[in-house]
């Protein structure tokens, strides 16, 4: 799971991405796991979600 977090952060360093794009670039197979990690990282202040564009970005 720690490796998935690092992969997600490295994918988001390039540009803001939608959930499916994050999963593809970070090589996370399960959508629920990816979304849970993104929500935890949002609570920690590492990433943000733009509700208008539906994209995740580095916080």
């Amino acid at each position: 799971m720690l490796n998935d977090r690092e992969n997600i952060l490295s994918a988001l360093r390039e540009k803001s991405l939608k959930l499916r794009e994050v999963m593809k670039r970070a090589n996370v197979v399960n959508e629920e796991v990816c979304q849970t990690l993104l929500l935890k990282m949002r609570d920690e202040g590492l990433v943000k979600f733009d509700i208008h564009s539906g994209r995740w970005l580095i916080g």
Side-chain angles (χ1 to χ4, degrees):
M1 188 177 262
L2 184 61
N3 193 26
D4 288 341
R5 287 174 60 105
E6 293 171 5
N7 291 343
I8 289 172
L9 287 174
S10 67
L12 290 174
R13 282 189 185 102
E14 297 173 21
K15 62 180 180 177
S16 62
L17 302 168
K18 293 189 176 196
L19 178 62
R20 295 280 181 183
E21 296 168 336
V22 171
M23 289 175 56
K24 191 175 184 181
R25 286 185 182 231
N27 198 23
V28 179
V29 181
N30 190 337
E31 182 177 343
E32 188 175 325
V33 169
C34 185
Q35 194 166 18
T36 302
L37 283 171
L38 284 166
L39 290 173
K40 284 181 183 179
M41 290 190 293
R42 184 191 67 179
D43 291 344
E44 295 169 2
L46 296 173
V47 297
K48 293 182 181 179
F49 181 73
D50 183 0
I51 195 163
H52 300 292
S53 67
R55 294 182 179 272
W56 289 93
L57 54 133
I58 293 288

